[in-house]
Amino acid sequence: MIIFQLALRNLIRAGLRTWLNVFVLSLAFVAIILMQGVNQGIIEQASRSMIDSELGGGQYWHANYDPFDPLTLEDAHAPLPPELQRLIAEGKATAVLVSQGTIYPGGRMMPVLLKGIDPRQQILDLPTAELANHAGTIPVLLGSRMAESTGLKVGDPLTIRWRDAHGTFDARDALVVQIMNTSVQTVDQGQVWLPLDTLRRMAAMPGEATLITLAKNTSPPANFHDWDFKDLNFLLRDVREIVRFRKIAAGILNTILLFLALVAIFDTQILSVFRRRKEIGTLIALGMTRSGVIRLFTLEGGLHGILAVVVGAIYGIPLLGYLASTGIPLPQSSEGFGMAIGLVLYPVYGPALVLGSLLLVLLTVTVVSYLPTRQIANLKPTEALRGRVL
Amino acid sequence: MQNSILISTNNLTKRFPMGEDAVVALDQVNLQFRKGEFAGLVGPSGSGKTTLLNIIGSLDVPSEGEVLVLGEAIEKIGHKAAARLRNRHIGFIFQTFNLLPVYTAFENVEFPLLLQRIPESQRKKAVWESLEWVGLTDKAKSRPSQLSGGQSQRVAIARAMVKRPSIMLADEPTANLDAQNSHNILQIMERLNRELQTTFIFSTHDEKVIQYLRRKITLDDGRVASDETFTTERAGS
Ligand SMILES: Nc1ncnc2c1ncn2[C@@H]1O[C@H](COP(=O)(O)OP(=O)(O)OP(=O)(O)O)[C@@H](O)[C@H]1O
Ligand SMILES: [Mg+2]
């Protein structure tokens, strides 16, 4: 296409200004992809680790269970419906009994959630096997954050005090048998894991559970009386909510960046139409129509977008690729923005994200390139030839 | 078709709105130009020379009257047809050269052919030929900023002639050139006129140009004051 060649030639020979515009635009372009990629990485990474070590394929909750209100725990337990028992026997689900308790690390008093889980379970990625074979004591499993905040190490004794189903308080010594590294705070902070049977005995709740976690990709049997199925969509809503706010913040930042780049191009276009009047007149005298000149100038501006994509790709692909493969280390203190992310974040750039950003950049650039050129339609060729400003 | 009429104006009047009333730039002009003419519009500043050239070149339209250029009625021609007429059949030469600044001399000359979508090999050949005509093959790669005034105007002539137009319109082509360069480009144009039968219409104040003319039309206040034809070659030969 002739007009494309001409536009590219004009643009590239305009020199430094072009490359400045292109560079700023490419920065916006790469930043948009990176920021969105980081957010997508957060969602995927947090969801994945929460699914792996806590949520599985979704959970049945006892109707009274409310994770945000520990006081409901007293009533949030019941024997399992036979269908769920069968799923557990088939290895497609595992039960967790949750109960309130208190521990006394280093003489301090600390309310905790006692969580009983089958040591042989394969559903969740937790080292529960360590809880097996500790006759004569109560083996407990802690997360690393919990271990740090309590100062407990493997082999340390630990006093647990709890109240059983009849309201009777009791206390016993337990033994820390394993500390696990996990990015998922909701299986770590303030939690003490112990064998399910042991907790059932302690709490006098034989055969009961608070929640049942299904294996990944297991479709839930129907709802049961007293047991509500919570799908991943529901269970991961917090992650999505937090990321939604991050996305809004990133969106504002991206808009500002893109806006700056667009203003630079808009300015260039206005200046072009203003300064290149004589050239416009000459083009018309040489046989271009005014709409042809408008197309040429719009294309010149729009090509900023295409060049920005090319330039952005030159440094963006290696940069974004490097970050995606080695990950972005997060400062220990940030604790993965309060989500189950771990110490390294791996951005994820989907084709929709890349293509979407591409279209956004090209479209907005074309629009801001076009707007100033509409003036040309009102330009008289004879005036333009004189280089006169209207 | 020797001596056929390429351009004719019939009671051509052009007014420019000027506040309440209008400036009459051309007043009932009746002129005809034949193939192969080497004619000039002379007259004081503001007499309407540029305005007439612009209308013949379909860059502007008459307020009244008819103008026929190569069979096209300028008073009712559309944008597209006008652009096509200029692109194929009319070459413009300007006082200020008007080369496209980011293009090389070669690319400037090539431009009208690009618009015509002429294939590359044919295009290149035509461009080199035109540059040879004006003696600037060695400056093909130069940008306008690297050319002298005389060289720039010669590139502009090459650009105007590369498409072999029937009509060349030159508005004060020598006004920014010294004597030697003026004679040089006039000789080039005269040769074009002689060898390719290209019709030239100048607008000028320049005695040097007037020497070369074979027809001198004097405008005064938008009216044709005199129209003289010289049968003998006068200068340059
Ligand atoms: N765009 C315009 N708007 C208003 N008046 C105009 C316009 N163009 C030309 N005129 C007027 O029309 C008249 C003829 O102008 P024109 O430019 O044709 O003169 P000219 O013979 O070429 O003069 P010069 O020798 O100075 O170039 C002048 O009075 C001029 O002021
Ligand atoms: Mg003039």
Side-chain angles (χ1 to χ4, degrees), chain A residues 1-2 5-7 9-10 13-14 278-279 281-291 296 380-383 385-386, chain B residues 54 59-60 79-80 83-84 86-87 90 92 94 96 98 100-104 107 110-112 114-115 117 143 159 163:
Chain A
M1 232 171 62
I2 287 301
Q5 252 173 279
L6 296 177
R9 189 194 277 169
N10 286 349
R13 296 199 185 158
K278 197 160 148 184
E279 185 183 333
T282 308
L283 293 172
I284 292 173
L286 291 176
M288 277 184 105
T289 55
R290 278 187 287 199
S291 51
L296 177 66
K380 281 190 170 174
T382 50
E383 303 287 346
L385 269 171
R386 279 192 261 184
Chain B
N54 283 342
L59 291 171
D60 209 342
H79 279 302
K80 278 217 167 127
R84 195 184 151 84
R86 290 192 296 268
N87 183 215
I90 301 177
F92 288 91
F94 305 97
T96 51
N98 290 28
L100 301 170
V102 300
Y103 292 10
T104 62
E107 289 163 345
E110 188 186 28
F111 187 86
L114 277 176
L115 288 184
R117 296 167 200 284
R143 299 280 182 88
R159 180 176 69 182
K163 57 197 180 193

Side-chain angles (χ1 to χ4, degrees), chain B residues 8-13 28-31 62 64-68:
Chain B
S8 72
T9 74
N10 179 24
N11 292 332
L12 164 60
T13 297
Q28 306 265 339
V29 172
N30 292 290
L31 284 171
E64 269 167 44
E66 291 97 51
V67 178
L68 212 60

Side-chain angles (χ1 to χ4, degrees), chain B residues 39-108:
Chain B
L41 307 172
V42 300
S45 183
S47 57
K49 305 182 291 293
T50 298
T51 305
L52 181 55
L53 286 186
N54 283 342
I55 291 174
I56 292 173
S58 77
L59 291 171
D60 209 342
V61 287
S63 307
E64 269 167 44
E66 291 97 51
V67 178
L68 212 60
V69 177
L70 301 171
E72 298 275 1
I74 301 299
E75 68 277 8
K76 46 188 182 204
I77 198 170
H79 279 302
K80 278 217 167 127
R84 195 184 151 84
L85 178 69
R86 290 192 296 268
N87 183 215
R88 310 243 156 167
H89 304 297
I90 301 177
F92 288 91
I93 294 164
F94 305 97
Q95 176 179 341
T96 51
F97 322 136
N98 290 28
L99 297 179
L100 301 170
V102 300
Y103 292 10
T104 62
F106 186 95
E107 289 163 345
N108 263 283

